Amino acid sequence: MQERLPVTVVTGFLGAGKTTLLRNLLQKSGLKLAVVVNEFGSVGIDGDLIKSCGFCPEEEIEDRLVELNNGCLCCTVQDDFLPTMEKLIARSQNLDGIIIETSGLALPRPLLQALEWPEIKTSLFVNGVVTLVDSEALSLGSPIGDLCSFEKQRNEDKSLEHITPVNELFHDQLKSADLVLLSRADLVSSETIKAITKSITSYVRDGTAILPISQGDIQPSLIIGLSKRLSVSQPFRSNSENSHHDHNHIDVISDSLRFESEIDQLDIKEALVKISMKYQILRLKGRFWLSGKILPLQVQMVGPRFHAWFEDAPPNTWKPKNGGADLIVLSLKQGASEAIYNFFN
């Protein structure tokens, strides 16, 4: 059975640092990723920046980088987005995942709804929506650093079907997020980061982490997800040790969990979502074996977003005699793995 391709959506306003983040992820992840870049106009600046980072051999660029320059992607879903995803699915045997970089005009929710399109929904899953917030701009009173360029882009985009007020668009990006990254955190004080975090907390869903980053530098597994193999690394800090402020360091607890137990499928989502909120789980991946089911239940979580489907496990995968689970957990607070174990045992 072909594994579903994970799709990561990176959103945020013009100048928030989406392309910088994407270049770092592509260079450091070690995965074969396809990239869909949605930008305005015929000059593909973002696309050129992605090409130049050397994320894949020159002969693979055409198959792994798609530039959609027809304006706001959420307004051209039927014409641009869905055919693009079908083409990438056809190449899924050679890909580990897909990243979509939206334009600063895009509403994330129409894209997420499009991923439920019947022809593609069984081949993909939403690996997470990452919203970038410009810390420096927001500290000066606006979520957009260059408001004039943003308004020019919006006025010239003839395909745009929604003229959403800036604050409303910003709040929509936050509500759709599974992870919020405060970019340019090295240019503001730790007190400012705390104030920004407090000011936007009411607009994000419960369980969504808000993390500061500098120069797009963050552990790829937090954005793209854990590798296909169920392996676990040592605890790490998500940002470079060369960051100028200590508040940019994020200690992430990385743990693995394997146990045998009779598990009720109806308990899994409710339990994991509650535990995720309490312990700030950034990523969870693994399998649940259920009595009476031939295939294990594949589970993927990023923040509060939960996906599960039945899928065959690779050869030589650990398997309990009856029921059980094999999970990897990345969290911000100690105790997540113990809480999962205790709930199901």
Side-chain angles (χ1 to χ4, degrees):
M1 181 183 295
Q2 176 64 35
E3 291 186 7
R4 298 188 184 199
L5 276 176
V7 179
T8 304
V9 179
V10 178
T11 188
F13 283 122
L14 179 71
K18 300 188 296 294
T19 303
T20 301
L21 172 71
L22 189 50
R23 281 169 57 94
N24 279 325
L25 294 176
L26 292 171
Q27 290 172 330
K28 297 176 182 178
S29 71
L31 300 175
K32 295 191 69 173
L33 301 167
V35 184
V36 179
V37 178
N38 175 215
E39 52 190 340
F40 174 77
S42 58
V43 180
I45 297 175
D46 288 355
D48 288 343
L49 289 171
I50 297 301
K51 288 178 186 176
S52 66
C53 80
F55 79 101
C56 73
E58 186 69 29
E59 62 271 17
E60 295 181 16
I61 285 286
E62 187 174 338
D63 289 336
R64 289 177 55 187
L65 176 62
V66 182
E67 298 178 77
L68 301 177
N69 301 323
N70 295 330
C72 178
L73 189 55
C74 71
C75 297
T76 59
V77 164
Q78 192 71 36
D79 296 330
D80 291 333
F81 180 66
L82 295 175
T84 294
M85 300 308 289
E86 288 182 308
K87 290 178 182 177
L88 292 176
I89 289 170
R91 305 169 192 149
S92 62
Q93 293 283 1
N94 299 316
L95 295 175
D96 293 321
I98 301 169
I99 301 181
I100 301 169
E101 180 193 343
T102 72
S103 79
L105 300 174
L107 294 163
R109 279 182 279 190
L111 299 185
L112 299 178
Q113 292 168 358
L115 291 170
E116 295 295 319
W117 200 41
E119 282 79 355
I120 65 173
K121 67 178 296 184
T122 58
S123 301
L124 308 167
F125 71 93
V126 179
N127 189 45
V129 178
V130 181
T131 295
L132 268 80
V133 175
D134 187 334
S135 298
E136 185 181 32
L138 202 57
S139 71
L140 298 174
S142 171
I144 305 175
D146 188 349
L147 190 57
C148 291
S149 294
F150 172 82
E151 292 295 350
K152 182 176 185 292
Q153 178 181 347
R154 180 152 66 175
N155 292 334
E156 294 179 356
D157 187 349
K158 293 179 172 56
S159 73
L160 192 65
E161 296 175 358
H162 63 92
I163 304 297
T164 310
V166 169
N167 282 339
E168 187 177 329
L169 182 54
F170 180 49
H171 295 161
D172 189 80
Q173 292 174 353
L174 293 174
K175 290 174 185 175
S176 301
D178 303 304
L179 175 64
V180 177
L181 300 179
L182 305 181
S183 65
R184 297 192 174 88
D186 55 321
L187 302 180
V188 298
S189 67
S190 58
E191 290 75 19
T192 299
I193 289 294
K194 291 177 183 177
I196 289 174
T197 300
K198 184 177 179 180
S199 71
I200 65 176
T201 295
S202 63
Y203 298 105
V204 303
R205 292 173 296 146
D206 290 340
T208 300
I210 303 173
L211 307 178
I213 64 168
S214 304
Q215 301 175 346
D217 185 18
I218 191 168
Q219 182 76 12
S221 60
L222 299 184
I223 308 297
I224 301 172
L226 302 157
S227 66
K228 288 186 175 182
R229 296 177 298 277
L230 285 178
S231 59
V232 62
S233 61
Q234 295 299 314
F236 57 81
R237 281 186 161 185
S238 70
N239 281 49
S240 168
E241 293 299 332
N242 295 323
S243 296
H244 299 294
H245 299 294
D246 286 341
H247 67 271
N248 288 335
H249 292 307
I250 306 156
D251 291 314
V252 178
I253 300 156
S254 180
D255 203 2
S256 60
L257 178 65
R258 180 180 291 174
F259 59 86
E260 296 194 32
S261 179
E262 291 289 334
I263 297 172
D264 187 335
Q265 184 180 346
L266 297 177
D267 292 336
I268 294 174
K269 180 177 180 179
E270 182 178 0
L272 292 183
V273 170
K274 285 183 178 179
I275 293 170
S276 173
M277 293 178 181
K278 182 175 181 179
Y279 294 94
Q280 285 276 269
I281 291 178
L282 300 174
R283 287 276 173 186
L284 181 147
K285 177 178 180 176
R287 304 178 186 93
F288 282 86
W289 279 264
L290 308 172
S291 296
K293 300 293 185 180
I294 298 175
L295 300 178
L297 184 71
Q298 174 81 22
V299 172
Q300 296 268 0
M301 289 187 70
V302 51
R305 188 180 298 276
F306 177 93
H307 287 280
W309 62 91
F310 288 99
E311 178 181 284
D312 200 4
N316 302 319
T317 298
W318 175 84
K319 181 178 179 181
K321 294 180 180 179
N322 294 304
D326 189 9
L327 307 171
I328 296 174
V329 184
L330 302 182
S331 62
L332 293 179
K333 296 181 179 179
Q334 290 279 3
S337 293
E338 291 86 349
I340 294 171
Y341 178 84
N342 290 336
F343 181 88
F344 291 106
N345 288 276

